[in-house]
Amino acid sequence: MRRIFSLAACAAALLSGVSYANAQSGSVEKAVGGYNFEEAAKEAPGTKDFHSADGKLTFAIVTHTAGNGFFDPVYVGAKVAGDMIGANILLLGSESPTDDPAREIEILNQIVQDPTVDGIIMTTPQVGAYNDIVKAAEAKGIPVATTNSFDGTILNRSGISHTGQDASAAAIAGEALVKCLADKGIEKGSIVLPSSTAMGNIEVNNRVTSAFNAIVKGLNEAGKLENFKVDAGPENTGIDTNPNDPVNGIVTLFESRGDVVGAFAGNNVFTPALAKAVAQTGMTGKICAYGFDLGPAQQDALKSGDLTGALGQQPFLQGFWPVMQLWLQIDRGIAAANLDTRAQLVTQEDVEKVGKRFEN
C-alpha cells in the first residue's frame, strides 16, 4: 500500500509541473558565497583568446611513436576532450613504429614556435631531453603537460601535470604470472624478462624491475622460489635483447635456457615479439607469457593464446586528461594535477571487450 501511495505522489508531482528532482530536500541552488552555480560554471570570457588571441584554443599533443597504434586511443581521448571544451587538437608524433624520441623532439621544436599553439602535451621517454622545450614554452607563456612516459627531472616538474601509468603497475602482471604457474601446476623452471636498456626508456626499465620483484615476492610467499630461476638481467631491468631483432633474440633466449616456463615483456616492442617467439617455439599454452600494451598485435596474440595476459595503460585517459588539465590551468587557474592511469589486465577471456570505444 505504501508503494502505491509513493507512485501516486510522484505522478501528481509530474502532472502539476513539479520536477521530482527539484522536489528533493537538500538541493543546493547557490553557493554559500552567494554566487550562482550556472554562471560560475561558464568558461571565462578571455579563455578562447589565451596566448594566440585567435578566438580558439589550440593544443598540440606530440608522442614518440605514432606508427604502431598504441597512441591511437591517446589521440582519441585528446580529441574527445578537445570537442568538449571547443578546442582544436593537433595530433602529432614520430612516424616510427618504435620509440623515436629524437623525431619527437624535432617536432616539438617546431611546434613551440607556432604562434597559434596555446598549450603543449608531450611524452617524455628520454630523461633530461625536454628542458629546452619547457624553457621555450614558458618564455612564450604556453603551458605544458606531459603524458605516458615520465621524466622526474624535467624542468619545473612540480608545475607540470603528468598523466600516465606508474611503473609499479607492472607488478600486476608479475602477480598474474605467479598465479598462472600455480594454475598450470608448474613447479619449477626458468622465468625470463627480456628487454633492452639501449632504448633509453627509463619507464620500461622500471616496469621490468617491478614485474621481477612481484614474481620473486609471489614465489617466495608460496614457498617455491628456490624451484625457479627468475632472470631479469644483472640490474633487474631486463635480459639484454636486440630491439632491432627481438623475435630471434627471445627465441634464442628460450632455446639457450631450455626450461622456460614464464616470461614478461615490458613494452610494445618486446611484447609482440614475445608472442611470436612463443608461437615459433611451440610453447603456446605451455608457458605463462605476459606483456604490455593492448594494440592489435597484442590482442591477436591474446586471442590465439600466444600471450597469456597483457597490461593496458588505459591510454584514452592519457590523451583526455592532459587536454582537460591545460584547459583548467588556463580557464580556472587550477595548478597542475597528476593522474595515475594504473593498469588493465586483459586475458583471452576478456580480450573481445577491448577497443569497443577506441580504448586499449
Side-chain angles (χ1 to χ4, degrees), residues 215-231:
I215 293 167
V216 170
K217 181 174 182 288
L219 290 174
N220 187 54
E221 290 177 348
K224 298 181 179 180
L225 181 58
E226 63 182 15
N227 299 335
F228 293 88
K229 181 179 179 180
V230 187
D231 189 355

Side-chain angles (χ1 to χ4, degrees), residues 168-180 207 210-212 214-215 263-265 288-292 309-311 343 345:
S168 63
I172 296 172
E175 294 163 359
L177 193 154
V178 172
K179 183 178 184 301
C180 172
R207 287 176 192 164
S210 294
F212 170 83
I215 293 167
F264 170 82
C288 299
Y290 287 80
F292 240 84
L311 291 181
L345 177 63

Side-chain angles (χ1 to χ4, degrees), residues 275-309:
K276 289 180 181 179
V278 167
Q280 287 185 22
T281 54
M283 301 172 75
T284 302
K286 298 177 183 178
I287 73 169
C288 299
Y290 287 80
F292 240 84
D293 300 336
L294 295 169
Q298 286 89 331
Q299 292 182 44
D300 288 344
L302 288 168
K303 292 171 185 176
S304 68
D306 297 330
L307 275 182
T308 312

Side-chain angles (χ1 to χ4, degrees), residues 50-52 54 56-59 90 113-119:
F50 174 80
H51 183 64
S52 60
D54 58 5
K56 190 177 185 68
L57 288 175
T58 297
F59 297 152
L90 304 179
Q113 304 300 326
D114 188 333
T116 69
V117 171
D118 301 295

Side-chain angles (χ1 to χ4, degrees), residues 88-177:
N88 181 39
I89 308 297
L90 304 179
L91 309 178
L92 306 167
S94 167
E95 303 85 349
S96 172
T98 59
D99 290 2
D100 189 2
R103 173 61 177 146
E104 179 201 14
I105 291 170
E106 181 182 344
I107 296 170
L108 284 166
N109 279 319
Q110 294 172 354
I111 214 69
V112 77
Q113 304 300 326
D114 188 333
T116 69
V117 171
D118 301 295
I120 296 174
I121 300 160
M122 61 185 181
T123 59
T124 54
Q126 189 172 327
V127 173
Y130 304 90
N131 287 347
D132 287 344
I133 304 295
V134 174
K135 286 179 183 177
E138 288 186 346
K140 295 176 180 293
I142 302 173
V144 173
T146 62
T147 194
N148 184 253
S149 46
F150 181 72
D151 179 1
T153 70
I154 200 168
L155 184 71
N156 192 26
R157 176 75 274 176
S158 60
I160 296 175
S161 73
H162 180 73
T163 303
Q165 180 191 66
D166 189 272
S168 63
I172 296 172
E175 294 163 359
L177 193 154

Side-chain angles (χ1 to χ4, degrees), residues 245-255 270-287 289 301 304-307:
D245 191 11
V247 178
N248 285 331
I250 296 174
V251 168
T252 300
L253 178 61
F254 283 178
E255 292 174 345
F270 286 100
T271 298
L274 171 61
K276 289 180 181 179
V278 167
Q280 287 185 22
T281 54
M283 301 172 75
T284 302
K286 298 177 183 178
I287 73 169
S304 68
D306 297 330
L307 275 182

